[in-house]
Each structure stands twice: as structure tokens, then as C-alpha cells.
Amino acid sequence: MTEAYDPTRVFRKLARANALANLRLYKAVALLRPGEFEATRASFFPSIRATLNHIRIIDWFYVDALEGGTLGPKAWENEEPFADPTELRAAQADVDRRLVKLCDSLTSHDLARPVAVHRGSRIQTDRLDDILSHLFQHQTHHRGQVHAMLSGTSVKPPQLDEFIVGDDAQARSADMAELGWSERDLMD
């Protein structure tokens, strides 16, 4: 018997893959030598610190909108609210948990629901599934930049793409345990 297709499953998996990738990235960042986190580098944003702050700010912006909030441009009033990588990691983990919780609660009907994104002078309205797709793409794009910037530091960039298929279970087991998740959480 074939299981019924659940269109929300992909978003639950992407939310967890996002949190797992962030966990690995921040573990690597914790190993940086003094000065490497904020050092000027060639990328869209000028440092690892600036890029990770940007990811967190935009996550905060969109997750708030997906939750029905009105935070809007206040999210980026301070472009680098966290100078300390430990505090930034905690803030990112918090928004990652919110995103997982949101994706875990989705129904197929929710995916087409309009989301009001407060942009200051206007309200952008898009489908929830489109906002989530955009957010996951944004996260992946900028995490890739941090990954590349880590190549120019004393820390080896971590593996960031072992989170979706069942064959990767062994490679992600320690990180899953650290987050308190089981393989069932990822595969349902």
C-alpha cells in the first residue's frame, strides 16, 4: 500500500535540515581563532559575523510574518545585533525552533494561506508555501557564503548537506541527538 502524499512533509524536513545545518555551522564558528569571526572577507556581506547576523535577522523577519506577526523592517534596524558568536548561535537556535514548530503544525490547507509580510510602507501578501520556499533558499544561499568564508580561516568548513535522505542517518546521528530529535522526526 502506498502512503498518501503529504505536501507539508517537505517543509518539515527542510526546517529540520536548516536547524541541523545551522548547528554544524555554529559548532565550526565556535572554533574560530580570535578575530576570525569579524574579519573582513570577500563575500556579499563583509564577514562571517555580518553574514550570520543577516541570516538570523531575515529568519526573524519571515518567521514572525509566518506566525502572523507584524515585526516588519524593525527586524533589521540593527544589522548586526550580535557581536558574540555564542549569543548569535542561541538567537539562531531560537528562531530555528520556531520555524520547526511552525512547519510541524502545517496542514495541506495552510500551504495556500496568504501571509501578510509587513514591509514598512506596504504589505506584501504571498502564499505560505512560497514564503517558506523563499526562506529556505535564502538560508541555504547565505550559509553557503559562510561555508566558503570558513575556508579562509583556521577551521575546516563543516559538511552541511547530510540531512534529507535516509542514507545520511549515520552522518547526522550525533547532531540529531544534540537537538533531541529522532530519525522518525525527520522521516515522518
Side-chain angles (χ1 to χ4, degrees):
M1 182 173 140
T2 304
E3 291 184 32
Y5 176 69
D6 177 1
T8 65
R9 181 177 182 267
V10 68
F11 295 109
R12 290 192 306 271
K13 287 187 79 158
L14 287 171
R16 282 182 170 76
N18 171 67
L20 285 161
N22 284 336
L23 175 68
R24 280 194 183 170
L25 201 57
Y26 276 97
K27 284 181 179 182
V29 166
L31 301 174
L32 291 172
R33 292 181 183 146
E36 289 182 316
F37 181 60
E38 62 278 355
T40 301
R41 302 186 186 282
S43 193
F44 190 80
F45 291 95
S47 67
I48 293 170
R49 180 180 71 195
T51 306
L52 289 174
N53 268 286
H54 174 74
I55 293 169
R56 195 277 190 186
I57 287 167
I58 300 305
D59 283 4
W60 193 24
F61 172 75
Y62 279 116
V63 171
D64 175 76
L66 289 161
E67 293 171 336
T70 60
L71 177 65
K74 290 178 189 164
W76 53 80
E77 282 180 346
N78 180 351
E79 291 182 8
E80 290 190 35
F82 298 97
D84 177 72
T86 303
E87 291 175 5
L88 181 53
R89 177 182 179 172
Q92 184 64 56
D94 178 62
V95 77
D96 289 347
R97 281 188 292 276
R98 288 170 54 199
L99 184 56
V100 167
K101 181 180 176 183
L102 180 125
C103 289
D104 281 353
S105 72
L106 293 175
T107 67
S108 59
H109 298 290
D110 290 328
L111 297 177
R113 177 172 49 87
V115 173
V117 180
H118 293 256
R119 295 267 181 198
S121 62
R122 66 183 176 86
I123 303 293
Q124 167 192 343
T125 303
D126 275 301
R127 288 172 49 122
L128 185 140
D129 57 353
D130 289 340
I131 296 289
L132 281 173
S133 295
H134 172 74
L135 179 57
F136 290 125
Q137 175 62 31
H138 179 269
Q139 295 162 336
T140 301
H141 168 69
H142 288 298
R143 264 196 312 267
Q145 292 172 338
V146 173
H147 192 268
M149 286 188 276
L150 281 171
S151 296
T153 72
S154 62
V155 176
K156 180 182 177 188
Q159 183 73 23
L160 295 181
D161 61 352
E162 296 174 327
F163 306 121
I164 297 294
V165 297
D167 196 53
D168 290 337
Q170 186 62 37
R172 65 178 170 247
S173 63
D175 296 317
M176 293 280 286
E178 188 170 337
L179 291 169
W181 297 343
S182 71
E183 280 300 310
R184 183 173 176 92
D185 293 321
L186 191 58
M187 294 302 161
D188 278 348

